[in-house]
Amino acid sequence: MASRGVSLKAKGKSSNGSKGSEDRSLSESVKEWSTWAMKKAKVITHYGFIPFVIIIGVNSEPKPQLSQLLSPV
């Protein structure tokens, strides 16, 4: 049976790390956070754009009905 090469790295600061590893850890944390934030922003934009446009349209002058906003005519 083949064994998997699973790496068990501890997350966070290492106890015997130097300044370089702390900088790398900080840059990795920033990269992970920015990736996470961009994924969340993509989902929010994807599911929120059309409802946002409808809300803006309903609150504009003259006041259209919802059926007028959704119909292509």
Side-chain angles (χ1 to χ4, degrees), residues 49-67:
F49 182 73
I50 298 299
F52 177 72
V53 169
I54 291 172
I55 289 170
I56 295 297
V58 168
N59 292 330
S60 66
E61 291 293 331
K63 299 275 185 193
Q65 294 177 359
L66 185 60
S67 61

Side-chain angles (χ1 to χ4, degrees), residues 2 6 10 13 24 28 31 34 46-48 56 62-63 67-68:
V6 177
K13 294 182 181 177
R24 188 178 330 135
E28 287 176 3
K31 184 178 178 181
S34 63
H46 181 81
Y47 290 108
I56 295 297
K63 299 275 185 193
S67 61
Q68 291 174 328

Side-chain angles (χ1 to χ4, degrees), residues 4-49:
R4 294 183 189 182
V6 177
S7 174
L8 298 175
K9 291 184 181 178
K11 288 197 172 189
K13 294 182 181 177
S14 61
S15 60
N16 59 358
S18 63
K19 178 84 173 150
S21 68
E22 289 179 8
D23 288 342
R24 188 178 330 135
S25 176
L26 178 63
S27 65
E28 287 176 3
S29 296
V30 169
K31 184 178 178 181
E32 288 176 11
W33 181 86
S34 63
T35 302
W36 177 84
M38 289 305 292
K39 285 181 181 179
K40 297 298 179 187
K42 182 179 176 182
V43 170
I44 290 169
T45 304
H46 181 81
Y47 290 108
F49 182 73

